[in-house]
Amino acid sequence: MDETDRRIVDVLRVDARLSISELAQRVGVSRASAYARFNRLVTERVIRRFTVEVDPAALGEGLAAYVHVRIKQNSWKSFRTKAWALAEAEHVALVAGDFDCVLLVRARDTAHLRQVVLERIQALPEVVATQTVLIFEEHHGHL
């Protein structure tokens, strides 16, 4: 990956719906070069998928929290499968520190969040402890 490839990725992070012609113009390369580079970035899985960013509040998921989870030793594989299956878990990460895993959970309200944390996450046999941190405000920046 060279600097031109990085510029292509940066431009697409902001707006992945750009046409190849517009992408080429913004990056300062020919349309053919932009097309070839774009295809290579997709084929080599530098660009893994295309998605849309939505407003969680508009979807009725106005409450967000990080749920820090401590799990039993050697139970990461079974825990992650169950965590990935949680519809409310937008992001699941294995981390180092006091906790083993962090989940970004989106819920309708505090009752829904309570149900997810206490009745679904804490009920998993792999879970030793949890700590929930409410998110008051978010910013999704682009590199």
Side-chain angles (χ1 to χ4, degrees):
M1 246 184 83
D2 63 11
E3 189 57 36
T4 301
D5 289 337
R6 289 185 193 286
R7 286 196 320 265
I8 288 172
V9 170
D10 288 344
V11 167
L12 290 174
R13 280 181 170 161
V14 174
D15 186 358
R17 292 179 47 149
L18 289 176
S19 68
I20 293 294
S21 296
E22 180 66 23
L23 178 64
Q25 181 181 356
R26 290 192 189 183
V27 174
V29 296
S30 71
R31 185 190 179 289
S33 176
Y35 183 78
R37 285 172 177 271
F38 171 82
N39 281 337
R40 183 177 44 75
L41 291 167
V42 171
T43 301
E44 293 177 357
R45 301 214 15 96
V46 172
I47 298 173
R48 296 185 295 189
R49 66 186 176 114
F50 297 89
T51 187
V52 59
E53 185 178 322
V54 297
D55 178 2
L59 295 176
E61 301 168 346
L63 183 62
Y66 290 114
V67 180
H68 300 217
V69 182
R70 187 173 299 120
I71 57 176
K72 294 177 184 171
Q73 283 196 341
N74 300 317
S75 67
W76 165 245
K77 288 181 181 178
S78 63
F79 175 78
R80 76 173 176 201
T81 300
K82 294 169 186 174
W84 289 346
L86 290 170
E88 295 85 356
E90 181 176 310
H91 183 82
V92 177
L94 178 65
V95 298
D98 291 337
F99 288 88
D100 303 302
C101 188
V102 176
L103 285 69
L104 172 55
V105 172
R106 299 211 180 265
R108 293 182 302 275
D109 51 32
T110 55
H112 183 207
L113 179 62
R114 179 189 181 285
Q115 186 266 334
V116 171
V117 173
L118 298 181
E119 298 175 23
R120 294 178 55 210
I121 296 172
Q122 287 184 0
L124 296 174
E126 299 87 353
V127 174
V128 173
T130 64
Q131 179 183 44
T132 302
V133 180
L134 291 178
I135 299 171
F136 293 132
E137 188 174 330
E138 296 180 78
H139 169 73
H140 297 275
H142 301 283
L143 298 176

